[in-house]
Amino acid sequence: MSAKKYVIGLDYGSDSGRAVVVDVATGEEIASSVMNYPRWMEGKYCDPVKNQYRQHPLDYIEVMEYLIKDALEKSPKGVAGSLVGLSFDTTGSTPVLTDENGTPLALLPEYAENPNAMFVLWKDHTAVKEAAEINELVKKWDIDYSQYEGGIYSSEWVWAKMLHVLREDESIRDKAVSWIEHCDWMSAVLTGKQKPTEVVRSRCSAGHKAMWHESWNGLPSEEFLTSLDPLLKGYRDQLYDETYTSDISVGKISPEWAERLGISTDVAVGVGAFDCHMGAVGGEVTPNVLARAIGTSTCDIMIASYDQIGDKLIPGICGQVDGSVIPGYVGLEAGQSAFGDLYAWFKNVVAWPIENILSKTTLIDEETREKLIDEAISKIIPELSKEAEKISIEESTIVAVDWMNGRRTPDASQEVTGSIAGLTLGSSAPRIFRALVEATAFGSKAIVDRFVREGVEIKGIIGLGGVAKKSPFVMQTLADVLNMPIKIARTEQTCACGAAMFAAVAAGVYKTVGEAQKAMGQGFDMEYIPNPDHAKKYLEIYEKYVKLGTFTEQELFGKDKIVETIGQIS
């Protein structure tokens, strides 16, 4: 490569977007930019009590334009002119209903403030009823369309969400003719290929969340969908049969967007994918290594050979999809619905008096008061971690279950709830916090155990994301519970860097994703080694976690089984 070439990787998280400009020859990060979604940060269109989380498409467009321009302005002179490709990753499943032109309904004036016309964020759990109906119907149908998605369809996934919105809001039914995932929409916008039948659809999103599989010619049949609800009539014709892996180019950036962003019309735009899948690539995942993107939730990604998977159908995970991570391998996905969100929930509980009592004091001026409140709240998690780390495992008698936001894996259920047992008058905030950290680690072990039980070997673990980089206490606890070393990827923006690797392949710089990983990967900066004594002790506590989880679930769904569960615990 004589002349320098650069790519941009864009990562859309739950709260913000980020972009990295990367040298394709070395993987060196030339510049980066981060921006929060403005409407989302104001709390618009969301109702946590109803588990409703919606994001306006303008947040995505405005953030994208800012990130690319800002990152290129921070780059050395000439970088913008040497840009050859860009690719996206997003959260998922995060779909939106569109009109016949592929325009998200919230971009039409009459629906601009209607949450049902907006993107339904991955953690929106308003479609629990619809997911249950899908699960009931697939078990009666001649084809089980959920078999490659772990055998359980989740309320976090596209068909349940879109059906729920259509049922809930009569005002949008006549206008809506199709839907699109966030990761597909970004590429469609930049290339101008937005009409529903023109959009180049991601294998990743389709296979893991939309019940797409080539063995039944794509999406579930029209008969199945209309049997689920007549409101879905005609949607399949406005969607797709073919899907594409993320090493493929959707096309060149449109003249309109090239001018707006100040880049060449020769820039290739890659097929999008979900954040954790591209994050695994950015973290240099290899076969049978579990890459854990650990943030507000976790998404666990593996790749396995066709020979290893064979005709296995792994129950209770979030899908096994050919090429969803790296072409040539089966991508396996699992995850936890809450990880960092669990700590954030407890922080908010602890912070309630600070925000609601201290904020009303008149003993100090408003500016000083606000400064004190912000400073105190920012120190809650670090101080809790410091004190919790001092508590020995033997003293840690509280046991918690990590389902405060439902359970993603194993065996998805957004109806289950978390629980905490073993509380006494001596149960301090650090002790409870330690139990919550252990609970998230136990939830991780349940995922690992499911893979191993189904014959999928796990040779190593890679930690990605904010929690992995910034929380030594959490990561050491996780290593001890799993009794496996955990390597931490050096780059802080693994998802965006993974997107950059895909952009380099889509632009033709590298032939394969593996080549891009070798050239552009940044390696690892540390490793957590399990303490054998701690690992042994945690095995005993893990059994209590499993029993408490069983009891919690039976309390919700099977009152007649409570006596049996109590007997097991005692």
Side-chain angles (χ1 to χ4, degrees), residues 88-108:
F88 298 91
D89 70 71
T90 72
T91 67
S93 178
T94 302
V96 68
L97 289 168
T98 73
D99 66 8
E100 70 278 4
N101 296 314
T103 303
L105 297 186
L107 293 180
L108 304 176

Side-chain angles (χ1 to χ4, degrees), residues 154-432:
S154 170
S155 65
E156 292 186 350
W157 300 347
V158 58
W159 283 115
K161 287 177 171 179
M162 296 296 88
L163 178 55
H164 174 77
V165 170
L166 287 169
R167 285 175 170 176
E168 185 176 69
D169 196 334
E170 186 176 355
S171 71
I172 65 174
R173 290 178 200 160
D174 290 340
K175 197 68 177 176
V177 301
S178 188
W179 52 256
I180 191 169
E181 283 280 0
H182 182 195
C183 67
D184 292 332
W185 186 61
M186 302 314 303
S187 300
V189 167
L190 284 189
T191 58
K193 298 179 180 180
Q194 293 191 69
K195 286 188 178 295
T197 54
E198 295 177 349
V199 175
V200 178
R201 308 279 182 160
S202 164
R203 172 76 54 83
C204 174
S205 63
H208 286 283
K209 312 302 180 187
M211 297 188 288
W212 179 93
H213 197 268
E214 59 187 356
S215 67
W216 49 74
N217 300 315
L219 296 169
S221 69
E222 176 77 0
E223 185 183 2
F224 174 85
L225 295 171
T226 53
S227 295
L228 181 62
D229 196 305
L231 289 175
L232 294 175
K233 182 178 180 181
Y235 273 80
R236 198 185 190 284
D237 289 342
Q238 292 295 318
L239 287 164
Y240 53 92
D241 294 321
E242 297 296 322
T243 63
Y244 300 87
T245 52
S246 294
D247 57 331
I248 302 296
S249 171
V250 173
K252 302 294 186 181
I253 193 168
S254 70
E256 175 195 351
W257 273 102
E259 183 178 355
R260 283 176 68 169
L261 298 173
I263 58 180
S264 166
T265 53
D266 290 330
V267 172
V269 180
V271 174
F274 289 150
D275 48 4
C276 50
H277 296 72
M278 284 194 171
V281 171
E284 299 175 69
V285 71
T286 54
N288 295 98
V289 171
L290 185 66
R292 310 204 72 224
I294 307 174
T296 55
S297 65
T298 76
C299 195
D300 302 336
I301 300 295
M302 285 181 64
I303 58 172
S305 69
Y306 301 135
D307 289 340
Q308 182 182 8
I309 297 301
D311 59 0
K312 286 189 183 83
L313 290 173
I314 303 169
I317 65 170
C318 302
Q320 51 190 85
V321 180
D322 181 15
S324 65
V325 183
I326 295 179
Y329 294 92
V330 177
L332 306 173
E333 179 188 346
Q336 292 165 267
S337 292
F339 201 98
D341 263 356
L342 197 60
Y343 313 151
W345 162 77
F346 189 60
K347 181 190 77 171
N348 292 337
V349 171
V350 173
W352 190 92
I354 301 172
E355 293 181 305
N356 293 275
I357 297 175
L358 183 58
S359 64
K360 296 176 182 178
T361 183
T362 57
L363 297 177
I364 50 179
D365 64 88
E366 182 178 355
E367 184 178 347
T368 303
R369 186 168 65 237
E370 292 301 318
K371 184 178 179 181
L372 284 173
I373 291 172
D374 291 344
E375 184 177 350
I377 292 175
S378 69
K379 290 182 177 179
I380 289 175
I381 295 297
E383 290 301 316
L384 283 173
S385 297
K386 190 186 304 181
E387 292 304 312
E389 196 170 7
K390 298 176 184 177
I391 301 168
S392 68
I393 297 176
E394 293 83 359
E395 291 181 76
S396 183
T397 56
I398 303 169
V399 179
V401 174
D402 57 315
W403 301 338
M404 293 354 184
N405 195 32
R407 182 180 63 232
R408 181 179 295 160
T409 315
D411 306 318
S413 173
Q414 260 52 66
E415 295 178 279
V416 297
T417 58
S419 55
I420 303 175
L423 295 170
T424 71
L425 294 177
S427 298
S428 63
R431 289 175 184 271
I432 296 172

Side-chain angles (χ1 to χ4, degrees), residues 458-495:
I458 297 179
K459 297 178 180 177
I461 297 178
I462 297 171
L464 318 169
V467 174
K469 294 288 287 184
K470 300 173 185 176
S471 304
F473 168 58
V474 172
M475 296 311 297
Q476 186 60 55
T477 302
L478 185 59
D480 291 344
V481 168
L482 297 178
N483 197 20
M484 295 182 72
I486 302 174
K487 293 195 290 187
I488 308 300
R490 178 172 285 113
T491 176
E492 292 192 15
Q493 305 291 358
T494 50
C495 295

